[in-house]
Amino acid sequence: MSLQHLLAELARIDLIVRREVMRWQMAGQDPDDDFRGLKMSDADAVALAARPFGTSWGQTADIDPKDTRAFAAALAEAERRANALAEALHRKGELPRLEYLAAAFGFDRFDLDIFLIALAPALDNRYERLYGYLQDDITRKRPSASLALDLLCAPGPERLLRLSHFADDAPLFKHHLVERVDPLYPTAGRPSLLSQNLLPDESVVAWLLGDYQPHDHLGAHARLRAPQSNETDTLLAAQAWPDVERAVHEHKQGEWPVVVFYGIDWAGQEATARRLSVSLNRPLLQVNLAGVIDPDLPPSRAIAFALRDARLTGAIPFLTGWDACLSDGAPPPEALAALCAYPDLAIVAGRSAWQARGFARERDLLWLDFPIPDYHHRLELWSHFLRGTSLDGSTVTALASQFFLTTEQIRDSVASAKDRAAQQGEPL
């Protein structure tokens, strides 16, 4: 039903596009001209010079009042159907994905319509030809900011007040839901904002259709995990869990801190993050920043893409490999700022303790150390991983007291010993 709601909203955009096509035809623009936008006659230049400021060709023509009423009725019906589908999902305790997208990233109806105009060619390539026609250029298969204004605004200079919706810090572009792409002009120089093409992010398109695909910059370094409880995670997370549980309880009184895992016990960090995911019944988005960050993608941008995907999926972001963000014992101020600005729970994890400096923050950091487990915890770990073997309690006690190993090392040691015993056909 979420897809049906998306299609109902696109039906409204389709009507707006059809109305504009009718206007263009009434204004004398030839839809059968295969060289539209590639040539200009003297008569074309004169007509273009005479066109009022901030007005498309279609907006120079008046539609017959009968057609105007028909379009208005069709638009009202499309809006009614979209609202009815949304209400049906609300009654089930669900949000349509498109509605969730707008709420999660804080954009309004005008932003949503811009997004839908950009989205349409990704779902139906007939819009590529329609947009080429409406932009007087058959090579322009994606909508420009100018076309979006033509479709959504009345003619005149007042439409320029809407340009703020296309700025770098506007929700659609700040969160990389839509990218502004320069058209391939043969002339040098960056085109104006009005001329730039609007391209929806492919991972957002996939998510709207019910499938999560990480942003291209994250690729195979991102993994979305459903909350799944198991006995092993409960044991591995035992030492840190009281502090995490306290943070969960205190969250009810205010906002989340940024949770910082550090220390040598990596398996304990992973288990604690998974257990927190289960406790809150939310998926966990694990992103290995060490695999993502490179000279072309600095820490702040890598973090922004990871947090964008976490917000998109409603997951807890679990940013591992945090040491890759550190320089001289601290993350860049802009990376820390992006993390602190995130309005939900976030976890960063690495081996090293670090300093939070260079940024005036109001958000708390909850520091959780994951050292080598103490003796009692090591004893529990050895007993757990050796369960079902013939080793007696004194051997397990000796292993726990003599070897200062991390959770991961204990687990891997037992697995390797089992492999050797099986290969040799002998008891462990």
Side-chain angles (χ1 to χ4, degrees):
M1 190 175 289
S2 190
L3 177 59
Q4 293 174 317
H5 174 261
L6 172 63
L7 295 177
E9 289 284 4
L10 282 168
R12 190 173 52 79
I13 297 300
D14 186 74
L15 286 165
I16 294 172
V17 171
R18 289 188 198 182
R19 182 177 61 190
E20 188 69 1
V21 168
M22 179 182 287
R23 284 173 171 166
W24 273 65
Q25 292 172 341
M26 293 181 66
Q29 300 303 303
D30 183 4
D32 298 320
D33 184 354
D34 291 334
F35 297 97
R36 293 184 60 82
L38 304 180
K39 61 181 178 61
M40 178 174 287
S41 66
D42 290 343
D44 291 335
V46 170
L48 189 62
R51 201 172 77 190
F53 183 88
T55 304
S56 72
W57 281 124
Q59 290 169 334
T60 63
D62 293 323
I63 298 180
D64 184 276
K66 180 180 177 181
D67 291 327
T68 299
R69 290 192 295 271
F71 272 114
L75 283 167
E77 173 58 23
E79 186 172 355
R80 184 205 64 76
R81 173 167 169 72
N83 290 339
L85 288 166
E87 285 299 323
L89 281 170
H90 294 168
R91 287 193 293 272
K92 295 180 179 180
E94 302 175 24
L95 276 180
R97 288 201 167 206
L98 188 64
E99 190 175 310
Y100 171 86
L101 188 73
F105 294 97
F107 53 82
D108 61 18
R109 180 79 242 186
F110 194 81
D111 293 315
L112 184 60
D113 285 346
I114 294 171
F115 176 78
L116 290 168
I117 289 167
L119 175 68
L123 302 181
D124 188 341
N125 60 12
R126 69 191 174 94
Y127 288 101
E128 292 183 349
R129 291 179 62 84
L130 288 169
Y131 287 169
Y133 172 69
L134 293 177
Q135 294 177 105
D136 202 20
D137 186 343
I138 60 171
T139 68
R140 297 292 296 272
K141 297 182 178 182
R142 294 290 180 167
S144 64
S146 181
L147 176 59
L149 293 178
D150 290 344
L151 294 172
L152 301 176
C153 299
E158 291 79 9
R159 71 192 221 145
L160 297 179
L161 300 177
R162 295 286 196 171
L163 281 177
S164 60
H165 290 266
F166 302 90
D168 289 340
D169 60 352
L172 286 174
F173 302 94
K174 176 182 178 181
H175 299 294
H176 305 282
L177 305 174
V178 176
E179 301 289 347
R180 296 195 316 269
V181 181
D182 293 348
L184 299 178
Y185 286 132
T187 54
R190 182 177 176 84
S192 69
L193 188 154
L194 285 171
S195 295
Q196 293 177 45
N197 290 336
L198 306 177
L199 192 66
D201 184 82
E202 290 183 3
S203 61
V204 178
V205 177
W207 178 81
L208 280 171
L209 298 179
D211 180 35
Y212 170 65
Q213 296 177 5
H215 190 280
D216 283 347
H217 284 304
L218 304 181
H221 301 288
R223 180 180 178 185
L224 186 65
R225 300 170 180 264
Q228 293 181 338
S229 178
N230 64 71
E231 180 186 357
T232 300
D233 280 351
T234 300
L235 174 61
L236 268 58
Q239 282 193 301
W241 188 249
D243 289 329
V244 174
E245 199 169 31
R246 191 179 310 114
V248 171
H249 174 74
E250 291 176 353
H251 165 64
K252 297 174 183 177
Q253 310 301 324
E255 68 174 17
W256 284 105
V258 174
V259 181
V260 181
F261 293 172
Y262 67 98
I264 195 172
D265 193 16
W266 166 238
Q269 294 186 22
E270 277 197 311
T272 303
R274 289 193 296 265
R275 188 174 177 190
L276 181 57
S277 164
V278 170
S279 174
L280 298 175
N281 194 29
R282 292 177 57 186
L284 188 72
L285 180 66
Q286 183 168 337
V287 179
N288 178 18
L289 294 176
V292 173
I293 293 169
D294 61 34
D296 295 325
L297 191 71
S300 58
R301 280 178 56 79
I303 291 167
F305 286 121
L307 295 178
R308 196 284 310 255
D309 274 20
R311 193 181 300 199
L312 184 68
T313 56
I316 301 169
F318 179 38
L319 309 184
T320 65
W322 182 253
D323 300 78
C325 299
L326 304 180
S327 176
D328 192 24
E334 59 272 19
L336 186 58
L339 194 62
C340 290
Y342 186 67
D344 200 351
L345 171 63
I347 308 169
V348 298
R351 292 178 66 90
S352 305
W354 48 275
Q355 293 182 319
R357 61 174 185 255
F359 170 68
R361 59 183 172 85
E362 297 182 0
R363 194 168 184 182
D364 294 334
L365 305 181
L366 175 63
W367 300 86
L368 296 177
D369 188 10
F370 287 80
I372 291 176
D374 60 27
Y375 166 74
H376 294 291
H377 195 202
R378 292 200 304 275
L379 184 62
E380 290 180 313
L381 292 167
W382 281 110
S383 298
H384 173 78
F385 289 116
L386 287 168
R387 184 187 302 168
T389 69
S390 59
L391 295 182
D392 59 26
S394 61
T395 302
V396 176
T397 300
L399 288 168
S401 62
Q402 292 180 39
F403 298 101
F404 292 82
L405 302 180
T406 66
T407 301
E408 187 175 11
Q409 289 170 327
I410 293 172
R411 180 197 65 197
D412 294 346
S413 296
V414 173
S416 296
K418 287 180 177 179
D419 290 340
R420 287 195 298 273
Q423 185 173 352
Q424 296 169 6
E426 297 177 356
L428 185 67

